[in-house]
Amino acid sequence: MTLLQTHPRPAGADSVHRTVADAMDAAGPQVWDDMTVEVALSVMVAARTGHLVVCDEDGRCTALVTRARLTDVRNGSAYTDRVRLRDVAADDGPFASPTAMVAEAEEAMRNRHLGALPVVDAHGNALGVLARSRFSGRSN
C-alpha cells in the first residue's frame, strides 16, 4: 500500500494547511474485490456515486474504482460477465493518511491524474475519500 505521509503541523497552522481528515468526504459504498464489474456498476447507479472503495476479504481498502474505469472495462473486447473488481482495480494505492496535508494529497492526485483518493488508517481501513473537486477550483 502506498500511503502518503505527512510532516508535523505547526501549532498556528491556518485553514490553508488543512489535513486530509479536514477535507475528506465519507468513504461511501465499500464493496468486496470479488464483486463483478456489472454488479459494481449497478451499485454505483443505486448509490448515485461515481466511485467505489474496494476492500479485500479482511476489510482493508485495496483500491478505488470509478464508473468511467468500469465502463471502459465492460466495453472492452476482453470483457466477460466473470470479470471481478480485483481483476481491474489498481491495487496498492495511492492512499492518503488522514494526517497528510491536503496540498500533499492534491499533488499526488494531480501527478497521477486521479479524481479521488481513498483515505485509510494505519491498518488499511477506509476512513473516507478525498475528491479532487474539493480543491480543483483553488488557484495554484
Side-chain angles (χ1 to χ4, degrees), residues 40-130:
L41 284 165
S42 295
V43 169
M44 283 185 193
V45 169
R48 295 186 175 121
T49 187
H51 64 265
L52 295 173
V53 173
V54 181
C55 300
D56 65 14
E57 63 276 355
D58 296 322
R60 288 187 299 257
C61 178
T62 59
L64 184 128
V65 293
T66 64
R67 184 179 299 183
R69 170 75 176 127
L70 295 184
T71 300
D72 286 347
V73 167
R74 185 182 61 191
N75 293 338
S77 60
Y79 177 76
T80 72
D81 62 359
R82 294 180 160 209
V83 175
R84 309 261 176 213
L85 293 180
R86 74 169 63 97
D87 302 327
V88 299
D91 286 343
D92 235 13
F95 301 101
S97 163
T99 59
M101 304 311 285
V102 170
E104 292 172 312
E106 179 181 12
E107 179 75 14
M109 292 170 72
R110 206 175 17 252
N111 289 341
R112 296 180 181 184
H113 307 288
L114 301 173
L117 190 63
V119 180
V120 299
D121 65 16
H123 305 288
N125 298 309
L127 301 174
V129 173
L130 183 65

Side-chain angles (χ1 to χ4, degrees), residues 4-21:
L4 298 176
Q5 295 301 315
T6 185
H7 304 285
R9 191 164 108 165
D14 60 15
S15 63
V16 174
H17 297 30
R18 294 182 306 157
T19 65
V20 168

